Amino acid sequence: MDRVYLNGRFVSREHACVPVTDRGLLFGDSVYEVIPAYGGVPFRLAQHLQRLERSLAAIRLDNPLSRSAWEAVIGELCGDGGGEDRSIYVQVTRGAYPTRNHRIPAEVTPTVIAFSSPIPQRDPRIAQKGIAVITTPDIRWHRCDIKATTLLANILAQAEAVEKGADDAIFVRDGLATEGTASNLFIVAENRLITPPKGDQLLPGITRDLVLELAKEAGVPYRETPITVDSLAQATEVWLTSSTREIAPVVRLDGRTVGDGRPGPLWRRMDRLFQQAKERLRQAARKRDETNE
Ligand code: PDD
């Protein structure tokens, strides 16, 4: 994190301070976005900004910046790594006030934070060997479609996974597997790709939508339908998707082998298409830079 956008200004990290009375800190009264950038260009920015607008509206907070102002801030931060892959973190809280009071103030002055960090290159072992996950009861609230910063249940589920020797956890609610702690869920059953439908039980992932788009273009059959714990256990492939994980193949589920214990053939196909989509963005950025030189 080289510099931070804070309430209208770019400041150095050590000068990026928020009051202890900020409602984001006191109440978790805030929403966020994580936007990947490849070759200095944000990936699916319009979709991320649309989801941010949706999250803000859901918590009754006016969007503090226009679309073009967000694009300018995020565009600046994308350039911080000299074209390396980065993720841009954006957070809007309901701001800081003199007293701690649950009631939403009549006059709101939000806190706006944005910074970028390098996206670590995917560990090649993940593509070769996949990841292990556990299932865990979903103890979250009933608006998981809002990208809120109140992530304690997600953090505890992730910690439980690590304690059990796994990489991550999949939430289960009312007998249905909904999503990962910071990712969406896909399974392959009878050669068809399946992901749960959007709703208040899961985050409408941007990577999820892209995977469905790529599947459609490639003629891969898919369905958006609930995934029962039984169908999860019987799936021939299980994947977790997110802006930072991309498409991660799961090879162990609750200590049992998924499929033949290696990343599956449909994962290899979709991962190739996903990498190509990223590469197209990098090439477009290179072309743009050459034209500007
Ligand atoms: N999280 N579900 C949850 C609960 C998430 O937190 C995320 C992403 C996703 C995937 O969404 P997307 O494809 O738009 O990244 C699904 C981000 C990466 C995070 O919290 O860091």
Side-chain angles (χ1 to χ4, degrees), residues 32 34 51 147 179 181-184 203 205-207 242-244:
Y32 76 110
V34 177
R51 187 172 64 187
K147 201 159 172 59
E179 62 176 343
T181 62
S183 52
N184 289 111
L203 188 79
I206 309 298
T207 319
S242 85
S243 295
T244 43

Side-chain angles (χ1 to χ4, degrees), residues 236-237 239 249 260 262-269:
T236 51
E237 295 188 34
W239 314 337
D260 67 0
R262 284 174 305 176
L266 193 55
W267 173 79
R268 280 201 300 277
R269 188 168 167 203

Side-chain angles (χ1 to χ4, degrees), residues 194-267:
I194 299 172
T195 194
K198 288 180 185 172
D200 57 13
Q201 309 291 303
L202 55 98
L203 188 79
I206 309 298
T207 319
R208 170 197 182 277
D209 285 352
L210 174 61
V211 168
L212 293 182
E213 254 176 65
L214 294 173
K216 196 172 189 181
E217 276 167 31
V220 173
Y222 68 86
R223 275 175 65 193
E224 292 175 78
T225 193
I227 296 175
T228 62
V229 279
D230 286 347
S231 51
L232 177 66
Q234 284 156 22
T236 51
E237 295 188 34
V238 176
W239 314 337
L240 292 178
T241 66
S242 85
S243 295
T244 43
R245 267 193 187 282
E246 303 183 351
I247 314 174
V250 174
V251 296
R252 285 190 81 71
L253 178 73
D254 289 330
R256 286 190 305 272
T257 301
V258 176
D260 67 0
R262 284 174 305 176
L266 193 55
W267 173 79

Side-chain angles (χ1 to χ4, degrees), residues 4-292:
V4 174
Y5 173 87
L6 177 62
N7 297 331
R9 291 195 307 138
F10 285 95
V11 291
S12 64
R13 187 177 165 165
E14 61 271 28
H15 290 111
C17 298
V18 174
V20 291
T21 51
D22 194 281
R23 291 177 66 97
L25 182 63
L26 296 181
F27 300 121
D29 191 357
S30 69
V31 294
Y32 76 110
E33 271 300 322
V34 177
I35 306 150
Y38 304 113
V41 185
F43 195 39
R44 306 235 135 189
L45 180 58
Q47 289 87 337
H48 281 279
L49 290 179
Q50 203 175 356
R51 187 172 64 187
L52 178 64
E53 271 162 25
R54 186 181 178 280
S55 297
L56 286 165
I59 69 159
R60 305 166 188 213
L61 185 52
D62 288 341
N63 195 340
L65 299 186
S66 65
R67 270 280 169 119
S68 55
W70 277 121
E71 282 163 9
V73 169
I74 291 163
E76 279 266 327
L77 291 169
C78 283
D80 278 355
E84 70 172 350
D85 293 351
R86 310 219 23 120
S87 73
I88 316 299
Y89 178 82
V90 166
Q91 184 177 346
V92 183
T93 87
R94 212 180 301 271
Y97 304 89
T99 53
R100 180 180 178 275
N101 187 340
H102 289 67
R103 185 185 289 228
I104 293 178
E107 290 274 315
V108 168
T109 310
T111 300
V112 185
I113 302 163
F115 55 80
S116 78
S117 328
I119 301 183
Q121 288 297 311
R122 179 169 71 184
D123 183 344
R125 278 173 305 186
I126 291 182
Q128 280 156 18
K129 295 200 170 144
I131 60 168
V133 303
I134 58 162
T135 53
T136 192
D138 193 347
I139 57 166
R140 297 177 300 167
W141 68 334
H142 291 272
R143 288 305 306 272
C144 301
D145 55 318
I146 302 173
K147 201 159 172 59
T149 56
T150 38
L151 293 170
L152 200 45
N154 309 56
I155 286 166
L156 293 177
Q158 165 68 233
E160 184 193 344
V162 171
E163 265 163 35
K164 292 184 172 162
D167 301 286
D168 213 334
I170 293 172
F171 286 121
V172 173
R173 186 177 283 188
D174 300 331
L176 300 177
T178 56
E179 62 176 343
T181 62
S183 52
N184 289 111
L185 171 66
F186 283 82
I187 64 167
V188 178
E190 292 162 9
N191 295 321
R192 191 195 286 267
L193 193 53
I194 299 172
T195 194
K198 288 180 185 172
D200 57 13
Q201 309 291 303
L202 55 98
L203 188 79
I206 309 298
T207 319
R208 170 197 182 277
D209 285 352
L210 174 61
V211 168
L212 293 182
E213 254 176 65
L214 294 173
K216 196 172 189 181
E217 276 167 31
V220 173
Y222 68 86
R223 275 175 65 193
E224 292 175 78
T225 193
I227 296 175
T228 62
V229 279
D230 286 347
S231 51
L232 177 66
Q234 284 156 22
T236 51
E237 295 188 34
V238 176
W239 314 337
L240 292 178
T241 66
S242 85
S243 295
T244 43
R245 267 193 187 282
E246 303 183 351
I247 314 174
V250 174
V251 296
R252 285 190 81 71
L253 178 73
D254 289 330
R256 286 190 305 272
T257 301
V258 176
D260 67 0
R262 284 174 305 176
L266 193 55
W267 173 79
R268 280 201 300 277
R269 188 168 167 203
M270 292 308 296
D271 184 58
R272 208 167 33 243
L273 295 173
F274 191 88
Q275 299 306 325
Q276 285 166 0
K278 275 169 56 183
E279 196 43 41
R280 278 198 295 275
L281 195 75
R282 285 203 189 94
Q283 276 170 6
R286 275 199 291 272
K287 234 188 218 141
R288 188 201 55 197
D289 291 348
E290 281 162 19
T291 327
N292 290 344

